[in-house]
Amino acid sequence: RHSSNSKQTFIMHTSIGSRSGHYYHHAPGSRSSLLRSSAVNVVAMTSSQFKGCDAPLPKQVKVLGMGSCGVDYLASVAAYPKPDDKLRTETLEAQGGGNCANALTAASRLGLSPVIVTKIGGDGLGDGIITELQEDGVDTSHIMRAAGHPSPFTYIIVDRSGGTRTCIHTPGAALVPEEMGGPADLDRLLEDGVD
């Protein structure tokens, strides 16, 4: 626990296809230290104490997420198609997706100050991803764009009769560590804008 005048930054790392994440607490001038190894432990530790957000936080809490973001296309069908079947969707919905983007949107709605570091395509779909995240209060200034690559998207077939979903994912260009700079660059990112 830090004194009331210290800066606080929390980092959450998620990966595609994983429901768990790693949470880190970063204190200025110190090395980041692992708080919990799974999201389940963090939620269990804090949910019983959570009383709601009826007042602003006493100071800004920055949440940095590095991970997936994209678009999900959810097609609801009466029953999953057999090979060579043709059928119509009952509903089709397009919405933001990706573990990291979803978690940061939730953080924004809880009054935190989320920042996303990710890579998407230099296409119109990517423009829409950025617009939606900005409207949800997520800082998108550290999103990298990959010209000539598609933004990540997933077709999700929702089978109403069987109660299942099938995901077909199209990844975008990979985000490699060298693109994020060195440790000093990441430290600056964590410090920027924290009150």
Side-chain angles (χ1 to χ4, degrees):
R1 199 169 264 268
H2 292 278
S3 64
S4 60
N5 61 359
S6 67
K7 297 179 182 179
Q8 295 186 29
T9 304
F10 291 86
I11 308 168
M12 183 181 68
H13 173 302
T14 62
S15 60
I16 296 173
S18 171
R19 290 189 180 267
S20 66
H22 298 286
Y23 292 76
Y24 301 86
H25 181 262
H26 176 80
S30 70
R31 299 178 84 99
S32 296
S33 59
L34 183 64
L35 283 180
R36 292 282 183 259
S37 61
S38 75
V40 176
N41 290 341
V42 173
V43 171
M45 180 181 69
T46 61
S47 63
S48 65
Q49 299 167 348
F50 182 71
K51 304 297 182 205
C53 297
D54 58 356
L57 295 171
K59 58 187 160 193
Q60 179 187 21
V61 176
K62 191 175 203 179
V63 179
L64 173 63
M66 296 180 189
S68 64
C69 81
V71 173
D72 291 342
Y73 297 101
L74 290 90
S76 178
V77 295
Y80 193 81
K82 295 178 177 59
D84 294 325
D85 269 359
K86 293 182 182 176
L87 61 128
R88 295 178 187 260
T89 59
E90 296 179 344
T91 61
L92 177 67
E93 184 179 344
Q95 62 186 25
N99 294 346
C100 185
N102 290 344
L104 293 178
T105 296
S108 176
R109 292 175 184 172
L110 289 171
L112 305 174
S113 299
V115 179
I116 188 166
V117 177
T118 191
K119 184 192 271 188
I120 58 176
D123 53 6
L125 190 59
D127 296 341
I129 291 169
I130 288 175
T131 298
E132 183 178 26
L133 287 169
Q134 289 172 340
E135 289 172 354
D136 284 331
V138 177
D139 179 344
T140 61
S141 61
H142 300 283
I143 291 181
M144 291 164 249
R145 305 295 297 268
H149 290 272
S151 290
F153 63 94
T154 304
Y155 289 111
I156 303 172
I157 302 169
V158 180
D159 173 3
R160 285 191 316 101
S161 65
T164 63
R165 68 183 182 126
T166 302
C167 301
I168 304 167
H169 181 66
T170 302
L175 175 63
V176 295
E178 294 77 21
E179 294 175 301
M180 294 183 286
D185 296 317
L186 292 175
D187 281 343
R188 276 193 295 276
L189 176 60
L190 291 171
E191 294 300 322
D192 287 346
V194 179
D195 296 330

